[in-house]
Amino acid sequence: PREANDPVAMCREGVVQLNKGDYISAFEYSKKAAGLGHVDAHAELSQMYLDGQGVEKDERKEIHHLEEAAIGGHPTARCNLAYYEERNGQYERSVLHLIIAANLGEDASIKLLLKSFKGGLIDKDDLATALRAHQAAVEETKSPQREAAEEFYRNRPVL
């Protein structure tokens, strides 16, 4: 599964190594997968730079990998970018990241959009549009196969 140019396998192995606590190997696998364009690997690298796992903490590199993941369609990365934009006073950009994340079905974005609405950063119509888009994205992911897999996962025996 660790093919030299297989970004999916490299990213998976990076997560395996991360879960084992081998942060150096996790970083190397994730770096290789990100170099091959794997969006989840960029998100993993971002978290490693945030937490200092296998690398020194580096906010600039963390944000770089968040941006790469967000551009690639990673909804959680969008939410995380929204945090940095808000922290830097870029409220409009923050809300735009949250709207995009909502359009991708990211649940956390809804709570943050509601907070933004209460703070006057998004109007009622834009919030309603984001809520509808979020619901549509969530509905698109529903299928009998997915529901059966989730049920199986919930009821599996713990080893």
Side-chain angles (χ1 to χ4, degrees), residues 80-117:
N80 292 345
L81 279 176
Y83 163 78
Y84 285 105
E85 296 291 2
E86 182 179 358
R87 189 183 78 180
N88 293 325
Q90 299 294 322
Y91 302 112
E92 203 170 296
R93 287 178 59 95
S94 176
V95 168
L96 288 175
H97 282 301
L98 294 174
I99 289 171
I100 293 168
N103 289 340
L104 295 170
E106 176 65 34
D107 293 336
S109 67
I110 298 304
K111 290 178 185 174
L112 295 170
L113 281 170
L114 290 170
K115 179 182 168 193
S116 297
F117 174 71

Side-chain angles (χ1 to χ4, degrees), residues 130-144:
L131 290 171
R132 284 191 299 274
H134 174 266
Q135 187 60 40
V138 169
E139 290 297 322
E140 284 180 18
T141 65
K142 290 186 177 179
S143 72

Side-chain angles (χ1 to χ4, degrees), residues 18-19 21-28 30 44-58:
L18 188 67
N19 290 335
D22 183 353
Y23 302 128
I24 303 295
S25 294
F27 176 77
E28 291 303 321
S30 296
E44 290 296 329
L45 286 170
S46 169
Q47 192 66 45
M48 288 179 197
Y49 280 113
L50 173 67
D51 297 334
Q53 295 175 320
V55 293
E56 286 189 36
K57 290 183 178 188
D58 187 326

Side-chain angles (χ1 to χ4, degrees), residues 37-40 42 65-75 77-78 104:
H38 199 282
V39 173
D40 290 339
H42 280 292
H65 287 289
L66 273 179
E67 289 171 341
E68 291 296 318
I71 289 166
H74 197 282
R78 284 281 175 191
L104 295 170

